[in-house]
Amino acid sequence: MEKTILRKLEWTLTVPMHYMYLVQFIKASIPDKELECLVYFLVELGMMNYDIIMLCPSMVAASAIHAAYCTLNKTPLWTKTLKFHTGFFETQLVDCAKLLMYFHSKVGESKLKVMHRKYSNPKR
């Protein structure tokens, strides 16, 4: 019955994924193109690793932004605006961000070369 009602209302329900959170979080972070590409790269790397898949998508998305800020030496690393939009304190993201950075450091050694090639493109 719920499906019938939702269809009549023309609503579509989906499972929340990393990208749904990233769109909102990236807007809140006021990114440049370099930061945005790095965030997407880190999230895609995370989606290919079991250690990250176990975490909630919103935390992975927020951690990717934090890791990208650290990597690109952007300051401040975590603002009140990001805390408000993500719901996470910086201290909650550190472990996940470290995992993402570890996967980033090992991307050249991985058997999965497509990600590396995709983000090696000069556009990204």
Side-chain angles (χ1 to χ4, degrees), residues 48-62:
M48 296 184 340
N49 292 285
Y50 290 112
D51 295 334
I52 297 291
I53 290 174
M54 305 308 254
L55 301 171
C56 64
S58 59
M59 176 174 274
V60 175

Side-chain angles (χ1 to χ4, degrees), residues 6 50 57 81 86 92 98 103 105 109:
L6 290 173
Y50 290 112
T81 304
T86 64
Q92 295 173 290
K98 284 181 182 178
F103 296 137
S105 69
E109 302 167 11

Side-chain angles (χ1 to χ4, degrees), residues 4-44:
T4 304
I5 293 170
L6 290 173
R7 258 185 271 151
K8 290 288 183 190
L9 294 173
E10 298 179 4
W11 284 19
T12 305
L13 299 180
T14 62
V15 175
M17 295 295 292
H18 302 84
Y19 291 111
M20 296 172 76
Y21 293 104
L22 278 179
V23 170
Q24 297 302 315
F25 297 170
I26 286 175
K27 285 180 187 176
S29 70
I30 311 168
D32 54 20
K33 192 65 175 168
E34 184 181 32
L35 179 77
E36 190 174 343
C37 286
L38 182 56
V39 168
Y40 281 112
F41 177 60
L42 291 172
V43 167
E44 286 186 36

Side-chain angles (χ1 to χ4, degrees), residues 59-108:
M59 176 174 274
V60 175
S63 297
I65 290 174
H66 184 269
Y69 266 76
C70 291
T71 302
L72 298 174
N73 295 321
K74 303 274 185 181
T75 55
L77 294 177
W78 203 246
T79 63
K80 289 180 183 179
T81 304
L82 283 168
K83 195 272 177 221
F84 175 78
H85 286 283
T86 64
F88 293 106
F89 289 99
E90 184 177 2
T91 54
Q92 295 173 290
L93 305 174
V94 172
D95 292 336
C96 183
K98 284 181 182 178
L99 263 176
L100 290 171
M101 293 313 301
Y102 172 75
F103 296 137
H104 182 236
S105 69
K106 300 294 181 187
V107 74

